[in-house]
Amino acid sequence: MFPRLHSRGRVLRAAALCAALFAAAPPPARAQGLTGIDRERGQVMLKQIKSKIKDNYYDPTFHGVDLEAKFKAADEMLKQATSLGQMFGIIAQAVMSLNDSHTIFVPPAQTARAEYGWEMQAVGESCYVSAVKPGSDAEAKGLKPGDQVLEVNGIPVKRAELWKFHYLYYSLRPQAGMLLTVRSPGGQPRRVEVLAKVRNDKRALDFTGADGGADIHNTIRDIERSYQLRRHRHVEAGEALMIWKMPQFDLSIAEVDAMMDKARKRKALVLDLRGNGGGSELTMLRLIGNLFDRDVTVGEMKRRKEAKTLVAKTRGANAFAGQLVVLVDSESGSAAEVLARVVQLEKRGTVVGDRTSGKVMRSRYHSEKMGMDTAVFWGVSVTDADLIMADGKSLEHAGVTPDVLMLPEGADLAAKRDPVLAHAASLAGLKLDPEKAGALFPREWRK
């Protein structure tokens, strides 16, 4: 697997920034005090995570990190923790000490879910509001796509640390709101206090059906909504071009082949991997196999005790032979980065957009739970291999630099223009206005 969750940044900077974030963050959306049982569970989580890392991490030296010392210090800090959010933060920092994009703690689901009504993305080295939900407090406060985000709760926002804000505010400590310092295109910095829409879920869910199946039904409905928002979309322009908006690598072999069968009827394919954080290794290999008329060596998987060559088997005569353009951005990660780099190394097409995230390792997710009748689910993703590409280099912390570096400006985001997709279409010989390109795949929100 090439999962989506990841961490990066230098160890000392990561620890310092996370400490600053926890100190500066406002109270959680719903304060959850720490009981004795909660603390004991946290200590058990910490112990089990250390065991999973020691037994499964691809580098037995842990990059020189003293794992015992890091986790011992975390255990001492847990004794002083006063809230669930603080406890999860301590565990997360211990895991992050490895500075590995795919080794990360996934805490139990929070009972309070915060929907902030706006999203942020790095473009180049700056961070911008990329979307604002209609009807949200963010919209009411005048926050707009294209606004550059300078600070969140007094902490400067930079590309290299953006993932930490996402991890903190969405996984570890959902907040009731945040204070932003933003600047509209051509304007002056201003402060905006944005409140989140908080949904307080049940602390315990009944999957036995004793409640008439309500909890089972609601959980399935939430999963279906998530799939709907992350579905694959495509548009076709006659025989000239197909544009495939691929949000993640989650398709079966048959589903990949079906999409590529549609592409084979066109002269060109624009594969839009912007915002694609990765997914299944199997999906990635099958998609690469659909782009070449020969087997392609992707790279070498270096594991703790062995190395294995990763090869994408061609689909032969059924492979797509037309022109290929791959779009990437700062949120393109893992499998998306590997595919883009293979296209570059094999000179198969043109990669356009922003430098990718540099989060390329292979990991295995270890799902854990506590309790029997009442269970608490959590987990940890542990890297089991580093992928060395065919040029002898790893993409971890480096990313992929596009053949054509092309960044939308704040004004483009504000006007919902997509000059990157328009340029990709032009490479395939099709004229597409940036305004029309921006309307092809509109941002959708959870209802």
Side-chain angles (χ1 to χ4, degrees):
M1 290 289 290
F2 289 85
R4 182 175 179 82
L5 293 174
H6 24 55
S7 64
R8 61 191 173 112
R10 296 189 179 278
V11 175
L12 294 179
R13 290 183 63 198
L17 179 68
C18 285
L21 284 172
F22 282 106
R30 180 180 180 183
Q32 299 182 46
L34 198 62
T35 67
I37 294 178
D38 288 334
R39 195 186 309 278
E40 289 178 7
R41 284 177 170 173
Q43 291 173 318
V44 170
M45 287 180 187
L46 187 70
K47 182 177 180 180
Q48 291 181 338
I49 289 172
K50 184 181 73 172
S51 177
K52 292 295 183 184
I53 293 175
K54 289 184 67 175
D55 292 343
N56 299 283
Y57 195 66
Y58 83 102
D59 179 5
T61 70
F62 310 110
H63 310 304
V65 174
D66 189 338
L67 205 66
E68 292 291 341
K70 292 290 183 182
F71 277 77
K72 182 178 180 181
D75 187 64
E76 290 300 316
M77 293 174 68
L78 286 179
K79 297 175 183 178
Q80 308 300 321
T82 59
S83 69
L84 286 175
Q86 189 178 30
M87 182 179 77
F88 293 154
I90 292 168
I91 297 173
Q93 287 186 60
V95 177
M96 287 163 57
S97 66
L98 286 169
N99 191 30
D100 185 302
S101 70
H102 282 58
T103 300
I104 195 164
F105 166 54
V106 181
Q110 301 279 353
T111 58
R113 297 190 187 185
E115 183 184 84
Y116 299 107
W118 69 284
E119 294 181 348
M120 176 169 49
Q121 179 180 348
V123 179
E125 296 303 317
S126 300
C127 298
Y128 292 87
V129 175
S130 58
V132 176
K133 184 177 183 179
S136 64
D137 185 67
E139 182 186 54
K141 297 292 179 58
L143 198 66
K144 298 181 183 298
D147 287 349
Q148 183 179 357
V149 183
L150 305 175
E151 293 182 345
V152 177
N153 292 325
I155 303 297
V157 180
K158 300 178 181 179
R159 173 181 173 134
E161 285 85 20
L162 183 57
W163 74 268
K164 299 187 184 79
F165 286 94
H166 290 155
Y167 187 37
L168 171 65
Y169 286 105
Y170 286 93
S171 296
L172 297 179
R173 295 191 69 187
Q175 306 297 318
M178 56 188 78
L179 182 61
L180 311 176
T181 301
V182 300
R183 179 170 53 211
S184 296
Q188 296 296 317
R190 69 183 191 279
R191 303 183 80 183
V192 182
E193 185 176 9
V194 179
L195 301 179
K197 181 179 179 181
V198 179
R199 188 182 87 182
N200 292 314
D201 293 338
K202 293 171 61 176
R203 188 172 178 84
L205 299 179
D206 184 351
F207 291 143
T208 67
D211 63 345
D215 285 347
I216 296 175
H217 172 75
N218 291 335
T219 300
I220 293 175
R221 186 176 60 181
D222 279 348
I223 293 173
E224 289 176 342
R225 285 173 178 169
S226 296
Y227 277 129
Q228 175 67 14
L229 293 175
R230 299 292 295 175
R231 72 188 185 281
H232 294 245
R233 293 181 279 178
H234 73 282
V235 296
E236 300 167 357
E239 296 181 355
L241 174 67
M242 182 174 119
I243 303 172
W244 178 2
K245 179 69 174 176
M246 188 180 192
Q248 55 193 352
F249 285 76
D250 62 345
L251 301 181
S252 67
I253 288 178
E255 289 170 327
V256 171
D257 290 349
M259 285 294 290
M260 291 305 298
D261 284 343
K262 294 178 181 179
R264 281 196 299 120
K265 300 175 183 178
R266 276 79 198 176
K267 296 178 181 179
L269 169 65
V270 173
L271 184 59
D272 191 346
L273 300 181
R274 292 175 296 177
N276 185 320
S280 167
E281 179 180 303
L282 183 65
T283 303
M284 179 195 72
L285 292 176
R286 189 59 176 183
L287 183 51
I288 293 174
N290 266 278
L291 297 175
F292 293 87
D293 60 0
R294 54 184 170 79
D295 293 349
V296 175
T297 298
V298 175
E300 186 176 51
M301 286 290 186
K302 288 196 171 182
R303 307 187 67 181
R304 176 178 287 197
K305 296 181 180 179
E306 61 187 9
K308 177 183 178 181
T309 302
L310 194 64
V311 177
K313 296 291 185 179
T314 179
R315 203 177 165 206
N318 290 320
F320 172 71
Q323 184 177 359
L324 175 65
V325 182
V326 179
L327 303 186
V328 294
D329 64 7
S330 64
E331 294 184 343
S332 300
S334 208
E337 299 180 82
V338 174
L339 185 143
R341 187 57 180 153
V342 168
V343 168
Q344 287 185 327
L345 292 173
E346 299 294 332
K347 303 185 186 305
R348 174 63 181 86
T350 305
V351 179
V352 180
D354 196 356
R355 177 171 56 87
T356 62
S357 63
K359 302 164 185 172
V360 187
M361 305 292 272
R362 190 179 78 171
S363 66
R364 181 179 298 277
Y365 181 71
H366 301 268
S367 180
E368 303 289 341
K369 74 171 184 176
M370 294 180 178
M372 296 296 291
D373 294 336
T374 301
V376 176
F377 295 90
W378 59 281
V380 59
S381 174
V382 180
T383 293
D384 67 359
D386 185 9
L387 177 62
I388 306 302
M389 302 296 295
D391 62 352
K393 299 178 181 179
S394 171
L395 294 174
E396 180 76 354
H397 303 306
V400 176
T401 299
D403 302 309
V404 180
L405 185 63
M406 190 171 187
L407 310 177
E409 298 180 351
D412 293 317
L413 297 174
K416 298 183 179 179
R417 296 190 296 260
D418 191 344
V420 179
L421 180 53
H423 180 72
S426 72
L427 293 178
L430 184 70
K431 184 176 181 181
L432 180 63
D433 293 332
E435 291 79 7
K436 292 182 179 179
L440 289 179
F441 306 106
R443 173 67 173 86
E444 297 176 336
W445 298 88
R446 182 183 293 272
K447 297 180 179 179

